[in-house]
């Protein structure tokens, strides 16, 4: 590969390593010595520069030569855009060692030590009276949540299991069915109404996260908020899902 006449002071190459399974695309100055180049590669592959052997492969990924003169310039070798430089690690590290995060020592701090630090996020929130450390805001949110729960309970108390109903949720078509459950649930806070739809317009068979709240066919069951449910004399509608004729 002839590099005579190359005007670009930089070259874009792929970097691979005997320690990692991935490749990185990087741009380097051709005026770097191989010793300087290896120092930059430390941040890419994790190997110490003193434990690196470099091999050059062409654009077609076929082996070209070893890059073994530390005082030679990178540009003095036939390195062109799209070539690959493979780093062989001689430090004794294992393949994938720098990719296994389970081997990385984690920094841990006790709750009491974290509480005493003046530069922590928690300290900042306390000083600024933000989030849960804003007592007035917390009380306001708790009052709003209590009010919403009371309103949901009032709606729920007016809904009787076994009643025919019509469900009108925002952004969805009106659906009819039978009330099968009214009350609190384990999957989300607040009051919920379990409905068995007349047609397979639901999401489940009356069970959520392994807990059964009522019985119905799969895709006929759904949970909706009480305010979306209207109880009344709603006969089953013919959706035409079982028609034999078009």
């Amino acid at each position: 590969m002839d590099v005579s006449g190359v005007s670009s002071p930089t070259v874009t190459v792929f970097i691979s390593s005997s320690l990692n399974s991935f490749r990185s695309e990087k741009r380097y100055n051709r005026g770097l010595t191989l010793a300087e180049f290896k120092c930059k590669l430390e941040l890419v592959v994790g190997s110490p520069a003193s434990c690196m052997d470099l091999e050059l492969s062409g654009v077609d990924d076929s082996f070209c030569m070893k890059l073994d003169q530390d005082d030679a310039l990178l540009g003095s070798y036939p390195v062109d855009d799209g070539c690959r430089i493979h780093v062989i690690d001689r430090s004794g590290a294992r393949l994938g060692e720098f990719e296994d995060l389970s081997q990385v020592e984690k920094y841990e701090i006790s709750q009491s030590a974290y509480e005493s630090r003046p530069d922590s996020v928690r300290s900042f929130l306390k000083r600024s009276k933000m989030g849960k450390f804003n007592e007035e805001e917390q009380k306001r949110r708790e009052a709003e949540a209590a009010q919403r729960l009371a309103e949901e309970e009032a709606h729920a108390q007016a809904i009787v299991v076994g009643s025919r109903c019509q469900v009108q949720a925002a952004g969805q078509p009106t659906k009819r069915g039978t009330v099968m459950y009214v009350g609190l649930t384990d999957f989300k806070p607040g009051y919920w109404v379990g409905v068995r739809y007349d047609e397979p317009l639901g999401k489940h068979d009356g069970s959520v996260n392994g807990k059964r709240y009522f019985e119905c066919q799969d895709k006929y069951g759904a949970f909706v908020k009480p305010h979306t449910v209207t109880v009344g004399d709603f006969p089953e509608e013919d959706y035409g899902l079982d028609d034999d004729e078009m």
Side-chain angles (χ1 to χ4, degrees):
M1 188 184 304
D2 184 11
V3 296
S4 60
V6 174
S7 59
S8 175
T10 61
V11 61
T12 301
V13 295
F14 292 97
I15 305 297
S16 61
S17 168
S18 61
L19 293 182
N20 304 312
S21 59
F22 57 85
R23 294 185 180 187
S24 301
E25 186 177 14
K26 299 289 183 179
R27 177 177 295 178
Y28 296 101
N29 194 304
R30 296 179 187 270
L32 291 172
T33 65
L34 285 192
E36 295 170 331
F37 179 53
K38 287 180 179 180
C39 290
K40 291 184 177 294
L41 290 178
E42 285 184 338
L43 301 176
V44 180
V45 301
S47 301
S50 59
C51 297
M52 291 183 188
D53 286 336
L54 304 183
E55 293 182 347
L56 174 66
S57 294
V59 177
D60 60 356
D61 218 27
S62 60
F63 175 78
C64 292
M65 63 178 62
K66 292 182 178 292
L67 308 183
D68 52 7
Q69 298 295 323
D70 284 350
D71 58 346
L73 298 181
L74 180 62
S76 67
Y77 288 93
V79 181
D80 206 352
D81 288 343
C83 288
R84 178 171 65 92
I85 296 177
H86 183 63
V87 181
I88 299 174
D89 178 84
R90 293 184 285 99
S91 67
R94 296 178 292 104
L95 174 65
E97 182 173 341
F98 300 129
E99 300 177 72
D100 186 359
L101 298 183
S102 66
Q103 301 300 315
V104 179
E105 183 178 356
K106 309 298 190 300
Y107 175 75
E108 297 181 356
I109 185 172
S110 67
Q111 285 292 332
S112 58
Y114 182 72
E115 189 73 31
S116 64
R117 293 187 61 158
D119 57 347
S120 66
V121 173
R122 184 179 299 172
S123 296
F124 172 77
L125 293 176
K126 282 183 177 180
R127 291 194 304 270
S128 306
K129 294 184 177 181
M130 297 173 62
K132 65 180 182 180
F133 300 106
N134 186 330
E135 293 185 7
E136 293 183 1
E137 179 66 15
Q138 279 295 104
K139 289 179 180 179
R140 183 184 67 80
R141 291 184 179 180
E142 290 172 0
E144 289 179 352
Q147 182 178 352
R148 285 195 300 270
L149 186 62
E151 291 174 354
E152 282 188 358
E153 184 179 11
H155 281 293
Q157 288 177 345
I159 301 173
V160 180
V161 172
S163 302
R164 290 288 299 168
C165 68
Q166 182 168 279
V167 178
Q168 181 61 69
Q172 298 185 21
T174 301
K175 306 172 186 177
R176 290 185 180 181
T178 302
V179 177
M180 302 296 291
Y181 177 90
V182 180
L184 301 174
T185 66
D186 291 341
F187 57 82
K188 278 188 178 180
Y191 285 83
W192 293 85
V193 179
V195 178
R196 182 187 66 207
Y197 289 132
D198 295 337
E199 299 291 344
L201 305 173
K203 295 183 177 181
H204 48 70
D205 63 352
S207 63
V208 179
N209 296 335
K211 180 173 180 178
R212 181 160 297 283
Y213 293 90
F214 60 91
E215 296 279 352
C216 72
Q217 293 177 269
D218 192 26
K219 301 301 182 184
Y220 279 75
F223 279 96
V224 294
K225 280 300 183 181
H227 71 272
T228 66
V229 178
T230 303
V231 174
D233 183 17
F234 296 107
E236 290 191 24
E237 290 186 332
D238 184 4
Y239 291 88
L241 298 181
D242 297 324
D243 287 351
D244 293 328
E245 298 180 1
M246 297 298 291

